[in-house]
Amino acid sequence: MDNEKTFNFLKKSGSPAQSATRPTGANRWLGNDSGMGKLPPQAVDMEEAVLGALMIEKEALSAVADILKPDSFYKESHQRIYSAIINLFVNSEPIDLLTVTAKLRSTGELEIIGGASFITELTSKVNSAANIEYHARIISQAAIKRELITISSEIQKEAFEDTTDVFKLLDKTEQALFQISESNIKKNYADMGALMRQALEELDQKKNNKDGLTGVPSGFSSLDRLTSGWQKTELIILAARPGMGKTAFVVSSLRNAAVEFNMPVAIFSLEMSSVQLVNRLISAEAEIDSEKIRKGNLAPHEWAQIHHRIGRLTNAPIFIDDTPALSILELRAKCRRLKAQHDIQMIVIDYLQLMSGDTGGKSSGNREQEIASISRSLKNLAKELDVPVIALSQLSRAVETRGGEKRPQLSDLRESGSIEQDADMVLFLYRPEYYGITQDEAGNSVAGIGEVIVAKNRGGSLDTVQLKFIGKFTKFTDVDAYFAPSPTPTDRPLPPASTNPIQSFENNSGGGGATFKSKANNLSNFDYKGPAEEPPF
């Protein structure tokens, strides 16, 4: 019977509940109503059947090992028995009534679970393991429900507290739910026939790409010819020494994808603020010295030049998050929201060493292991969201101590060899000019030349691509595009300079709001679309 009927029944029966008052407010929602006598979701009979089947058929565990964990069982005795079975399996020992009993006796748990007779009863309740996977999924579903009840009770309790930070509670809720789905809902294998059909369908789609691009374009033609674009599910590591232009390169690349190809992209900047990144984008787009933009001493014609050229940039699907000390758990949650809300096609992290692992704010004591955990999580994120993830990384000082051209090597990746292992592609950025080298081996000038060295590429060949680095605009371009003649002012007339730069920006941007703005604890995360109230520079 429901709560209302139960309350009325107790009242009429003259029980002690007659003098009770109906719970209200927090107590009612927290389930303290004496009429709510409910047991947690469970399937004890299924648990007994599964444990019995595991002890009579040696191959049965293979069918349920990836579905059940010890905590999936409701009864503690069943949890102990399943743990003993898992230990036997890990040690390659036989699993049957006698070995499980001996294992529990050796750990001192046999009497706790009810003795050898209890284990014997389990094996007598089933004849075979024919339906063990079906039974295991019922147990798993009940366990997931119990976890959800526990989480919702804790969230409900915190939500009633006036001192609770609602944004932290939202983040905690999302993380808890994600952990449940990640630990319980796993992707199953696919047979060769299904995979072959999928591969042929993708090949059929790729034949229509006349430019050979199969991934997210970088906008650099020579690099795209080598990589066919940034590929989905891949982790790309872009590494260089400080001052080489890592951020300039990746900002140029994401700008090209968003502006030229209208692909939504996200960048998580742990080093620079969102406004600093936008200033870089403005400098590169309007081709105005970044130093002038930083100081704000722009001539009237330069204001007009900015407003004339940043129209497409203003409405580009670029999403910037400058949350400092971002953890991998927070990153995963934010990216899932971005994928759901805006279908982002690429994720950029600037940079890897500034992230923190899933340690709950506590130091793990071993930074190398933490970085290894972060790089593995980034690879998993790329596969889960089916997007390329580009992570910037620092190089060790070993580069500086070497003689010669000081070109970076895979061994120079800082803090963890697992970065090299997890990455599908490793790119190094190298500018000879940075080290005072003015000519290459053939005597050609290398002034303003930046080399993108593809040092690892699981899906293709290795090579070095030359780009043009324009320091005063903080951007990279194709070498050929840089030396091509640019339109003269008469070809592209500038609008008249306005005495009100804010009004001029709004007039020339078509009223569309900037999509750059994003803060961690902001109700409008990643989807600010209102009119800009101040110039993004």
Side-chain angles (χ1 to χ4, degrees):
M1 66 180 67
D2 59 24
N3 296 342
E4 191 71 26
K5 291 179 180 178
T6 301
F7 185 84
N8 292 333
F9 172 78
L10 291 173
K11 189 172 181 180
K12 290 178 182 178
S13 64
S15 67
Q18 185 174 358
S19 59
T21 58
R22 193 187 314 275
T24 59
N27 288 335
R28 178 172 184 143
W29 289 109
L30 289 173
N32 291 335
D33 190 340
S34 60
M36 291 182 65
K38 286 189 176 181
L39 289 173
Q42 55 185 286
V44 176
D45 53 342
M46 297 292 180
E47 293 179 9
E48 293 174 346
V50 166
L51 292 174
L54 290 174
M55 288 185 284
I56 62 175
E57 289 194 18
K58 63 179 182 179
E59 302 299 332
L61 186 60
S62 300
V64 301
D66 61 339
I67 301 174
L68 297 177
K69 309 184 299 290
D71 290 343
S72 301
F73 292 84
Y74 178 70
K75 293 186 68 173
E76 183 182 353
S77 57
H78 294 170
Q79 293 177 7
R80 293 176 184 272
I81 294 171
Y82 187 71
S83 294
I85 291 172
I86 292 296
N87 286 332
L88 290 170
F89 178 78
V90 169
N91 296 322
S92 300
E93 298 178 17
I95 300 170
D96 56 35
L97 171 65
L98 297 178
T99 56
V100 172
T101 302
K103 185 66 176 178
L104 290 167
R105 184 180 288 113
S106 67
T107 57
E109 298 176 290
L110 184 60
E111 298 305 319
I112 297 176
I113 60 113
S117 58
F118 180 77
I119 300 177
T120 304
E121 289 177 9
L122 292 177
T123 58
S124 65
K125 292 185 177 182
V126 291
N127 295 320
S128 72
N131 301 315
I132 189 170
E133 185 174 348
Y134 178 78
H135 296 159
R137 294 196 182 281
I138 294 176
I139 296 170
S140 177
Q141 290 170 15
I144 292 173
K145 288 181 180 179
R146 292 198 299 272
E147 288 185 73
L148 290 172
I149 290 171
T150 301
I151 290 170
S152 59
S153 298
E154 292 175 357
I155 292 167
Q156 194 177 77
K157 183 178 179 181
E158 290 188 38
F160 278 107
E161 297 292 335
D162 294 334
T163 57
T164 299
D165 186 318
V166 67
F167 298 105
K168 289 184 179 178
L169 183 59
L170 280 172
D171 190 54
K172 177 181 177 181
T173 304
E174 191 171 49
Q175 290 176 15
L177 293 174
F178 179 75
Q179 286 176 344
I180 291 177
S181 62
E182 187 180 41
S183 59
N184 291 284
I185 303 173
K186 300 185 183 297
K187 184 178 179 181
N188 206 351
Y189 60 85
D191 62 80
M192 192 61 185
L195 291 174
M196 189 65 73
R197 283 192 297 273
Q198 182 181 346
L200 291 174
E201 286 174 2
E202 290 183 1
L203 281 175
D204 187 56
Q205 293 173 359
K206 289 176 182 178
K207 75 178 182 181
N208 298 321
N209 297 329
K210 304 301 181 184
D211 51 8
L213 284 173
T214 57
V216 178
S218 69
F220 307 120
S221 56
S222 50
L223 182 61
D224 285 337
R225 279 194 295 269
L226 177 65
T227 64
S228 297
W230 310 121
Q231 300 298 313
K232 294 180 178 180
T233 75
E234 288 196 350
L235 172 62
I236 299 107
I237 298 294
L238 175 66
R241 289 293 294 157
M244 284 291 175
K246 295 188 299 296
T247 304
F249 172 83
V250 80
V251 166
S252 297
S253 179
L254 68 87
R255 177 265 170 207
N256 294 338
V259 174
E260 304 296 341
F261 299 90
N262 198 34
M263 289 187 169
V265 295
I267 178 169
F268 294 84
S269 178
L270 287 79
E271 187 175 34
M272 300 175 63
S273 71
S274 56
V275 174
Q276 287 176 314
L277 277 178
V278 171
N279 283 340
R280 285 200 172 201
L281 284 163
I282 292 172
S283 173
E285 193 74 12
E287 295 188 345
I288 292 177
D289 196 327
S290 58
E291 186 74 17
K292 286 188 174 184
I293 290 180
R294 185 163 58 249
K295 293 179 178 179
N297 56 348
L298 300 176
H301 74 277
E302 289 173 324
W303 280 108
Q305 186 172 330
I306 285 177
H307 299 315
H308 177 59
R309 295 195 182 180
I310 65 171
R312 288 198 303 165
L313 187 62
T314 301
N315 298 302
I318 300 174
F319 306 94
I320 299 177
D321 188 309
D322 60 359
T323 306
L326 189 68
S327 73
I328 190 65
L329 206 59
E330 293 169 334
L331 173 73
R332 207 157 44 202
K334 289 172 182 285
C335 289
R336 284 164 63 93
R337 287 200 298 270
L338 274 170
K339 184 65 175 178
Q341 294 173 9
H342 302 286
D343 192 27
I344 55 170
Q345 300 298 306
M346 182 170 72
I347 297 168
V348 177
I349 295 105
D350 183 13
Y351 60 91
L352 183 66
Q353 280 78 14
L354 290 178
M355 292 191 68
S356 59
D358 297 339
T359 56
K362 299 179 181 179
S363 175
S364 62
N366 190 323
R367 182 59 178 166
E368 185 172 329
Q369 290 180 0
E370 189 175 8
I371 291 293
S373 174
I374 291 171
S375 67
R376 282 194 297 270
S377 298
L378 291 179
K379 174 58 183 175
N380 292 338
L381 178 66
K383 291 185 67 177
E384 178 192 350
L385 300 185
D386 195 32
V387 299
V389 173
I390 303 177
L392 277 59
S393 177
Q394 293 283 17
L395 291 177
S396 68
R397 290 197 178 114
V399 179
E400 310 293 339
T401 60
R402 281 202 301 267
E405 295 181 332
K406 302 183 185 298
R407 276 187 169 81
Q409 305 170 358
L410 287 172
S411 58
D412 296 325
L413 284 171
R414 186 176 170 186
E415 286 188 306
S416 177
S418 66
I419 296 178
E420 175 190 346
Q421 176 183 328
D422 295 325
D424 297 281
M425 187 182 296
V426 177
L427 308 178
F428 293 124
L429 206 56
Y430 172 70
R431 289 194 297 113
E433 193 177 20
Y434 181 86
Y435 294 107
I437 301 172
T438 58
Q439 292 183 336
D440 60 16
E441 295 176 354
N444 300 316
S445 173
V446 292
I449 294 297
E451 296 182 3
V452 180
I453 303 169
V454 182
K456 178 184 178 182
N457 187 5
R458 279 198 181 121
S461 58
L462 308 180
D463 204 348
T464 298
V465 173
Q466 286 193 340
L467 300 176
K468 183 66 180 179
F469 176 66
I470 313 171
K472 62 180 180 179
F473 302 149
T474 60
K475 74 172 183 178
F476 282 83
T477 66
D478 282 324
V479 175
D480 296 339
Y482 179 74
F483 289 111
S486 59
T488 63
T490 55
D491 296 327
R492 293 189 301 185
L494 298 178
S498 170
T499 56
N500 186 341
I502 297 177
Q503 185 63 43
S504 178
F505 166 73
E506 291 177 347
N507 291 341
N508 284 283
S509 65
T515 57
F516 306 114
K517 197 168 185 179
S518 171
K519 290 292 182 183
N521 291 335
N522 191 319
L523 286 173
S524 58
N525 267 356
F526 301 110
D527 53 6
Y528 173 75
K529 295 291 184 183
E533 297 177 356
E534 48 185 350
F537 38 82

